[in-house]
Amino acid sequence: KAGVTQTPRYLIKTRGQQVTLSCSPISGHRSVSWYQQTPGQGLQFLFEYFSETQRNKGNFPGRFSGRQFSNSRSEMNVSTLELGDSALYLCASSLDGQAVYGYTFGSGTRLTVV
Amino acid sequence: LAKTTQPISMDSYEGQEVNITCSHNNIATNDYITWYQQFPSQGPRFIIQGYKTKVTNEVASLFIPADRKSSTLSLPRVSLSDTAVYYCLVSNSGGYQKVTFGIGTKLQVIP
């Protein structure tokens, strides 16, 4: 079966711009979680969506938002980009969001803010 | 969720067995232990999961003592391609919980 697809793979944006990243989960999976990864910081949880509803949110400013569509595809948006937003953004697909059943990650979107 | 503690980094020579230990003193009765592996610029991938004693698959072994307060991921005869970050997670099937991956253990395999 197809894996988790994240688009685009690479992105360069200017400070102040906004960006939208996309994640298509594995077919049948209803949960999508988003993580930000910067060097030395590990994976920082952004938010999780299940059946089009945000169930949990990490400690990120309101500039970070997301949504999930009826086909479980998810997008995250970052507005008013800052240099510190440069990172690898990863999404994780799972059946119902329960970690015990395993997450499948996409390859990520590498965002560079200049 | 039980908090986990693991070494920040480890070095090993090729061909050696590597053991990475994760502490989870507050593990609950119905918690499972899961390990993920992440290569640079890729998402983490599931490698092994266990509840107690020993689990082995084609990639690794997972040793869990009787008190379950720690677990050890064992990688036999590592190669350069095993250089990665390894994350230990504790979770259960009691419903959705926010999961934090932490910083993980960066394993550097040396030729």
Side-chain angles (χ1 to χ4, degrees):
Chain A
K1 55 183 177 183
V4 180
T5 303
Q6 288 191 249
T7 56
R9 283 284 279 132
Y10 302 93
L11 207 50
I12 299 176
K13 289 287 189 178
T14 305
R15 271 184 304 176
Q17 287 186 313
Q18 76 165 19
V19 67
T20 299
L21 312 181
S22 177
C23 173
S24 293
I26 289 172
S27 178
H29 284 192
R30 296 165 64 191
S31 168
V32 173
S33 301
W34 287 90
Y35 293 84
Q36 180 196 65
Q37 186 171 41
T38 53
Q41 292 294 316
L43 280 78
Q44 304 288 315
F45 175 79
L46 281 157
F47 28 65
E48 188 257 357
Y49 285 87
F50 177 77
S51 293
E52 302 179 65
T53 300
Q54 186 184 89
R55 284 198 295 195
N56 215 327
K57 191 176 190 304
N59 297 322
F60 279 82
R63 300 184 297 106
F64 291 82
S65 63
R67 59 178 173 169
Q68 187 179 35
F69 302 95
S70 58
N71 62 356
S72 293
R73 188 177 72 86
S74 177
E75 290 181 345
M76 67 162 281
N77 184 277
V78 188
S79 62
T80 321
L81 284 166
E82 301 177 359
L83 295 179
D85 297 332
S86 294
L88 179 66
Y89 289 87
L90 293 159
C91 78
S93 165
S94 66
L95 275 169
D96 60 4
Q98 295 192 77
V100 70
Y101 300 124
Y103 291 146
T104 303
F105 282 83
S107 296
T109 295
R110 172 75 63 186
L111 171 66
T112 302
V113 182
V114 297
Chain B
L1 289 180
K3 178 176 163 51
T4 59
T5 304
Q6 49 183 126
I8 292 175
S9 64
M10 296 180 70
D11 291 339
S12 175
Y13 288 102
E14 271 193 298
Q16 289 190 326
E17 178 184 72
V18 170
N19 295 311
I20 305 173
T21 296
C22 178
S23 297
H24 27 79
N25 291 319
N26 296 324
I27 191 167
T29 303
N30 56 347
D31 281 341
Y32 285 75
I33 300 134
T34 311
W35 285 80
Y36 284 80
Q37 174 191 56
Q38 184 182 25
F39 297 115
S41 296
Q42 292 185 29
R45 70 167 186 138
F46 171 97
I47 50 174
I48 199 166
Q49 183 182 72
Y51 181 78
K52 62 180 180 180
T53 62
K54 177 183 174 183
V55 179
T56 298
N57 61 24
E58 65 278 3
V59 176
S61 294
L62 179 59
F63 298 92
I64 305 168
D67 67 6
R68 306 202 323 125
K69 292 183 184 298
S70 67
S71 58
T72 299
L73 175 73
S74 182
L75 304 172
R77 297 182 298 281
V78 294
S79 64
L80 296 177
S81 63
D82 292 314
T83 293
V85 178
Y86 293 83
Y87 299 93
C88 162
L89 267 70
V90 171
S91 61
N92 61 63
S93 60
Y96 171 73
Q97 307 129 31
K98 186 174 81 172
V99 173
T100 55
F101 277 74
I103 295 176
T105 298
K106 181 171 172 52
L107 171 65
Q108 181 68 52
V109 179
I110 306 164

